[in-house]
């Protein structure tokens, strides 16, 4: 892994890093990946990849939930007329 | 003033029913201990202002004869579990002023039982860490030795119980975050089977691994809290019911191949002594081999950061949490996330982004899932031969602050605990004794999926066979 790879990942993850943090992360990731790489050597050729958790659907009926609309609205960092206000995307 | 340091929920509950003590008495006793030690230990991020009112209400319920086992009992809540109308920060600057808009399922259950919710406990940011050193609000100190960590990530909950600031506590366990601090603080901590306690209202860290569970002084007390919070919840689509299943409890398997190196000598001695006591109590001890399971930690440190990087993408400064204004929308995301997240959180997000990225997905993420399936199978098979698997909870007793500044060294301290999260099995950590320096040591027992109830008797057998 190179510094450019760290920069690319930080860009994807939307995180800003200082040069010093990039250097630290490069070193730490190398050491962590060196350890977790051992899964490569495990023979799991007879194991099927399956995800056991499935979505559990409910009837499409309106149900009242206990929650506070006021608390949700109060959390908005920027709001107008009870709606969350976002920055222009285009 | 009543001394509550060694008072169990079981005993306190009896005393409350007999009218020998009130919930207000118990709560005031907890508050005194908080006042005396919270400053040095940094356990509570907030003690709720209405605890005495909660206690008075509980006393009325008790008087009316409607009391349940937890009515009037002060319980502490890890700072990543939502209580409507109260702040909940997950130990992060990102959510410093965030207020919950609903109750977690487990909180609803505790409220229905009339428990007194005493405050929210300090933790590693977003439950990522093994020492609480990653909390944005400073680390918790181990009440037994102030130079040492209480364990993490639920270190605040463990220290609160160990120092008599509450009678029991809730934590969350993604890779050992209940059991490791329980072991470091000399108390009981339990991670239920995946699916049996609703995750609705606990902040998601790694959703296929997260579980809420209890801390208490004894396993009877841990069972009381577990029995209160367990149950099906339609708000958690993975939630299942475990009632009506029975399990044998006579044979304990020990994977001795894991104990050959890297485990502290005194931890091992106490582990073996505990097994001897259990043998005297009638359990059979059997050597077992779990060849795939030694890869659990490697698989964990691929799957967990992958899920973390996805789950924490919701924190972008738009709908809630910290916002730092930037020039455009992406700049605002970046500035907010960089200001809000601490070093370990960023590290895991970047690591997760890497293992999920194009070109590495198969080699890391998919391979780790396959290893996870192999481990699940291995556990299913081993539980045809034995009823429990026992290991030390941690390879060492509580370590000193700053001792594990290298991230990989910190991760390696989870070697025994992550297995239960990878396999989804119920696991309890109970005290196994003390080191010569007076530090608590722990032993953990894992049962088959949904054998949660069968884990609670072991600690009592251990305690009563000295």
């Amino acid at each position: 892994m190179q510094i450019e790879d760290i920069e690319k990942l930080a860009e994807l993850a939307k995180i800003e890093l200082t040069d010093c943090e990039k250097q630290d992360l490069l070193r730490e990731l190398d050491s962590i990946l060196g350890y977790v790489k051992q899964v490569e050597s495990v023979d799991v050729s007879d194991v099927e990849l399956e995800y056991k958790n499935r979505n559990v659907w409910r009837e499409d009926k309106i149900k009242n939930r206990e929650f506070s609309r006021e608390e949700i609205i109060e959390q908005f960092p920027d709001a107008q007329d009870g709606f969350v206000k976002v920055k222009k995307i285009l | 003033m009543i001394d509550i340091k060694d008072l169990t929920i079981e005993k306190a509950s009896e005393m409350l029913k007999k009218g020998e003590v009130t919930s207000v008495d118990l709560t005031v006793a907890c508050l005194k201990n908080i006042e005396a030690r919270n400053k040095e230990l940094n356990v509570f991020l907030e003690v709720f202002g209405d605890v005495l009112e909660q206690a008075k209400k509980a006393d009325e319920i008790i008087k009316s004869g409607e009391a349940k086992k937890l009515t009037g009992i002060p319980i502490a809540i890890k700072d990543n579990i939502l209580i409507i109308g109260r702040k909940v920060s997950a130990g992060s600057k990102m959510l410093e002023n965030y207020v919950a808009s609903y109750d977690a399922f487990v909180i609803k259950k505790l409220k229905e039982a009339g428990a007194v919710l005493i405050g929210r406990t300090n933790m590693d940011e977003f439950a990522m860490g093994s020492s609480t050193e990653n909390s944005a609000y400073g680390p918790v100190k181990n009440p037994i030795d102030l130079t040492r960590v209480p364990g993490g990530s639920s270190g605040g909950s463990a220290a609160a119980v160990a120092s008599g600031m509450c009678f029991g506590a809730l934590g969350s366990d993604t890779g050992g975050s209940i059991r490791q601090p329980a072991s470091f603080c000399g108390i009981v901590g339990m991670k239920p089977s995946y699916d049996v306690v609703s995750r609705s209202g606990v902040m998601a860290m790694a959703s296929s691994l997260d579980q809420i569970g209890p801390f208490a002084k004894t396993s009877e007390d841990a069972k009381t809290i577990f029995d209160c919070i367990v149950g099906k919840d339609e708000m958690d689509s993975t939630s299942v019911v475990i009632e009506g299943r029975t399990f044998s409890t006579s044979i304990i398997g020990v994977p001795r191949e894991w104990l050959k190196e890297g485990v502290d000598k005194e931890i091992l001695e106490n582990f073996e002594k505990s097994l001897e006591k259990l043998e005297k109590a009638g359990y059979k001890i059997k050597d077992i081999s779990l060849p795939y399971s030694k890869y659990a930690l490697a698989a964990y440190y691929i799957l967990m950061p992958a899920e973390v990087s996805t789950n924490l993408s919701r924190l972008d400064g738009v709908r809630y949490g910290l916002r730092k204004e930037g020039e455009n929308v992406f700049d605002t995301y970046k500035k907010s996330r960089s200001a809000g997240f601490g070093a370990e959180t960023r590290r895991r997000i970047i690591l997760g982004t890497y293992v999920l990225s194009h070109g590495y997905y198969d080699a890391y993420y998919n391979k780790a899932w396959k290893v996870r399936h192999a481990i699940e199978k291995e556990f299913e098979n081993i539980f045809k031969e034995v009823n429990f698997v026992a290991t030390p909870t941690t390879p060492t007793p509580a370590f000193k602050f700053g001792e594990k500044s290298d991230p990989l060294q910190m991760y390696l301290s989870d070697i025994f605990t992550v297995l239960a999260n990878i396999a989804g099995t119920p696991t309890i950590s109970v005290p196994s004794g003390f080191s010569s320096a007076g530090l608590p040591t722990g032993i953990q027992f894992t049962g088959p999926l949904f054998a949660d109830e069968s884990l609670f008797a072991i600690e009592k057998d251990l305690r009563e066979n000295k």
Side-chain angles (χ1 to χ4, degrees):
Chain A
M1 207 183 265
Q2 312 287 325
I3 280 289
E4 296 76 42
D5 298 315
I6 297 284
E7 285 169 348
K8 174 91 189 302
L9 292 169
E11 178 61 32
L12 287 169
K14 298 286 176 282
I15 285 173
E16 279 178 347
L17 298 170
T18 64
D19 284 343
C20 183
E21 284 173 318
K22 286 177 201 166
Q23 290 293 348
D24 285 348
L25 265 173
L26 184 63
R27 187 171 38 82
E28 292 159 355
L29 252 56
D30 264 342
S31 126
I32 296 164
L33 290 171
Y35 179 81
V36 302
K37 252 198 170 86
Q38 58 178 288
V39 298
E40 277 180 2
S41 66
V42 189
D43 179 13
V44 285
S45 46
D46 56 341
V47 179
E48 284 287 313
L49 194 57
E50 49 163 346
Y51 302 101
K52 284 183 192 157
N53 288 333
R54 297 272 178 272
N55 268 327
V56 177
W57 305 100
R58 63 168 171 79
E59 287 300 311
D60 189 17
K61 285 180 193 155
I62 296 169
K63 263 191 175 178
N64 282 326
R65 303 274 183 216
E66 278 172 50
F67 68 92
S68 162
R69 184 171 184 270
E70 290 68 37
E71 294 288 8
I72 293 172
I73 292 170
E74 261 174 46
Q75 309 297 323
F76 296 162
D78 197 3
Q80 195 179 316
D81 307 326
F83 292 93
V84 62
K85 197 172 163 187
V86 296
K87 273 194 161 31
K88 230 177 20 190
I89 294 171
L90 292 173
Chain B
M1 170 73 62
I2 178 167
D3 184 11
I4 56 161
K5 189 89 202 309
D6 298 311
L7 187 60
T8 61
I9 294 175
E10 212 184 3
K11 183 83 178 82
S13 183
E14 272 171 38
M15 290 168 77
L16 283 169
K17 269 177 206 160
K18 285 186 192 153
E20 294 169 9
V21 71
T22 65
S23 174
V24 170
D25 294 337
L26 299 179
T27 306
V28 167
C30 290
L31 291 174
K32 284 270 175 219
N33 287 341
I34 292 170
E35 202 186 330
R37 295 199 76 188
N38 196 45
K39 225 175 194 163
E40 62 171 354
L41 297 179
N42 199 23
V43 166
F44 280 97
L45 294 176
E46 180 185 358
V47 176
F48 298 138
D50 65 342
V51 276
L52 287 174
E53 277 110 87
Q54 291 183 53
K56 277 177 200 157
K57 254 193 207 161
D59 280 330
E60 280 165 29
I61 298 170
I62 295 164
K63 261 191 214 144
S64 72
E66 304 275 295
K68 294 177 187 146
K69 249 187 168 171
L70 285 178
T71 310
I73 304 290
I75 303 284
I77 308 296
K78 187 176 182 179
D79 189 35
N80 61 350
I81 300 174
L82 275 57
I83 310 175
I84 191 165
R86 298 198 195 270
K87 276 189 187 175
V88 54
S89 77
S92 180
K93 287 283 173 205
M94 181 61 98
L95 296 173
E96 189 168 11
N97 297 306
Y98 181 73
V99 176
S101 56
Y102 66 100
D103 274 331
F105 179 79
V106 293
I107 294 298
K108 266 191 219 160
K109 289 285 195 176
L110 285 178
K111 282 183 175 176
E112 278 165 24
V116 174
L117 307 180
I118 193 156
R120 53 190 177 99
T121 56
N122 200 353
M123 56 184 278
D124 284 299
E125 183 177 25
F126 291 108
M128 293 188 238
S130 312
S131 68
T132 71
E133 286 165 291
N134 298 328
S135 168
Y137 305 97
V140 179
K141 290 186 176 144
N142 191 317
I144 294 137
D145 179 343
L146 299 181
T147 66
R148 289 174 193 271
V149 305
S153 67
S154 319
S157 288
V161 174
S163 58
M165 296 179 179
C166 58
F167 283 76
L170 291 187
S172 65
D173 189 315
T174 304
S177 281
I178 291 175
R179 292 159 287 147
Q180 186 248 22
S183 165
F184 281 7
C185 293
I187 59 170
V188 175
M190 188 249 190
K191 181 204 90 78
S193 297
Y194 186 73
D195 290 343
V196 309
V197 174
S198 168
R199 287 173 293 113
S200 169
V202 63
M203 286 188 203
M205 173 190 156
S207 307
S208 78
L209 303 154
D210 297 340
Q211 272 294 285
I212 300 172
F215 285 97
K217 289 173 194 138
T218 65
S219 59
E220 289 97 327
D221 284 3
K223 179 175 168 14
T224 300
I225 299 172
F226 173 77
D227 286 344
C228 175
I229 61 173
V230 73
K232 178 133 179 81
D233 175 21
E234 62 169 9
M235 297 301 282
D236 178 350
S237 65
T238 66
S239 142
V240 297
V241 178
I242 51 166
E243 280 161 31
R245 303 175 206 234
T246 51
F247 294 88
S248 311
T249 58
S250 56
I251 311 169
I252 298 171
V254 182
R256 289 199 194 272
E257 68 210 290
W258 295 2
L259 308 177
K260 281 183 193 147
E261 52 185 315
V263 187
D264 177 84
K265 207 173 123 248
E266 290 179 315
I267 293 258
L268 271 184
E269 279 169 17
N270 290 347
F271 177 72
E272 295 295 346
K273 270 186 218 155
S274 300
L275 292 179
E276 280 165 30
K277 283 183 204 167
L278 290 171
E279 226 169 357
K280 274 187 214 152
Y283 291 88
K284 281 194 190 71
I285 312 293
K286 189 176 165 182
D287 282 2
I288 54 168
S289 172
L290 297 165
Y292 281 116
S293 296
K294 65 168 181 269
Y295 299 105
L297 189 71
Y300 176 81
Y301 274 98
I302 293 169
L303 299 176
M304 176 273 295
E307 294 188 30
V308 163
S309 73
T310 334
N311 270 333
L312 296 195
S313 63
R314 67 188 185 274
L315 295 158
D316 55 10
V318 174
R319 286 162 301 158
Y320 44 75
L322 185 75
R323 173 186 290 196
K324 291 274 178 209
E325 291 296 340
E327 281 171 23
N328 55 45
V329 65
F330 289 125
D331 202 32
T332 304
Y333 291 167
K334 272 190 212 161
K335 287 207 155 49
S336 305
R337 286 164 68 78
S338 306
F341 290 145
E344 179 64 17
T345 303
R346 292 185 211 192
R347 189 178 296 126
R348 294 200 195 185
I349 290 173
I350 301 267
L351 181 60
T353 307
Y354 176 78
V355 299
L356 289 176
S357 60
H358 184 70
Y360 300 101
Y361 192 92
D362 269 330
Y364 288 106
Y365 187 74
N366 277 344
K367 187 70 190 268
W369 259 106
K370 283 191 178 175
V371 171
R372 184 177 189 178
H373 288 321
I375 292 169
E376 287 165 350
K377 258 273 158 323
E378 183 163 88
F379 264 70
E380 271 171 38
N381 288 331
I382 206 71
F383 286 126
K384 289 172 189 158
E385 288 175 42
V386 300
N387 308 126
F388 303 111
V389 173
T391 67
T393 310
T394 59
T396 65
F399 44 87
K400 293 204 161 166
F401 289 101
E403 195 180 318
K404 296 188 189 290
S405 54
D406 172 54
L408 182 61
Q409 287 311 310
M410 186 70 91
Y411 298 172
L412 291 173
S413 67
D414 302 337
I415 190 98
F416 295 126
T417 48
V418 294
L419 194 53
N421 305 79
I422 287 290
T425 49
T427 307
I428 195 165
S429 172
V430 305
S432 66
F434 291 89
S435 72
S436 50
L439 301 171
T441 60
I443 177 170
Q444 68 170 357
F445 300 90
T446 298
L449 203 56
F450 306 134
D452 301 59
E453 294 281 353
S454 71
L455 293 172
F456 294 109
I458 309 172
E459 185 261 346
K460 192 162 177 269
D461 289 331
L462 205 50
R463 204 182 337 135
E464 288 173 357
N465 282 275
K466 293 210 162 158

